Amino acid sequence: MFGNRDQLREQFIQAWDKARSGQPLEPLEAALAELIREHPEYHDLLADREHALTAEFPPEGGQGNPFLHLAMHLSIREQAATNRPAGIRDIHRRLSARHGAMEAEHRMIECLGRVLWEAQRAGSQPDETLYLECLRRVEGKSTGP
């Protein structure tokens, strides 16, 4: 998933269009379509190509960016599949066992967003150690009943 904003959004839109029409999907398209299926609140947006390509999601608007949200899910799933950073696969598995995969990833997205924001602010690479520490804190908070 590379390109400018419109190209990235187009990948989500095309994957969803192909999935809805029953066309064969490439592996990335299948992963995107699965994420979109799991987020019905985005279906109407993605069905309206023009609006999806031009919509703005400023933080002060109170609405999260669905494309960023879906991309972060995809990132976490890829991290868990490759176990990079080391240990994330087990954290994802344990959180998923407790809360279901979607809720586990929503909890993990908070940490990913925080670490990416800090890296962007500092002009550096994301700190995997801080990321794992944040994830372990999230995991520790979710061990209760």
Side-chain angles (χ1 to χ4, degrees), residues 23-131:
Q23 295 177 46
L25 301 171
E26 298 293 326
L28 176 59
E29 292 171 328
L32 295 175
E34 179 62 27
L35 282 168
I36 295 165
R37 265 188 215 96
E38 295 170 348
H39 287 82
E41 66 274 22
Y42 301 150
H43 291 181
D44 288 343
L45 171 70
L46 292 167
D48 182 349
R49 182 182 179 280
E50 190 60 37
H51 178 64
L53 289 174
T54 60
E56 298 292 334
F57 305 97
E60 60 273 6
Q63 179 187 6
N65 182 327
F67 298 100
L68 176 60
H69 182 81
L70 293 168
M72 291 177 83
H73 270 289
L74 187 65
S75 295
I76 287 172
R77 290 179 183 189
E78 181 67 18
Q79 290 169 359
T82 61
N83 198 35
R84 181 156 192 270
I88 196 167
R89 178 181 294 143
D90 289 336
I91 293 169
H92 184 268
R93 183 184 48 75
R94 288 188 298 264
L95 284 171
S96 294
R98 275 188 217 119
H99 305 288
M102 185 61 53
E103 178 60 25
E105 290 167 10
H106 284 152
R107 292 170 185 237
M108 295 172 78
I109 281 172
E110 294 296 321
C111 292
L112 179 58
R114 185 175 301 126
V115 169
L116 291 174
W117 182 79
E118 289 289 340
Q120 182 179 17
R121 222 180 75 183
S124 64
Q125 293 295 314
D127 186 323
E128 290 183 355
T129 302
L130 291 177
Y131 182 38

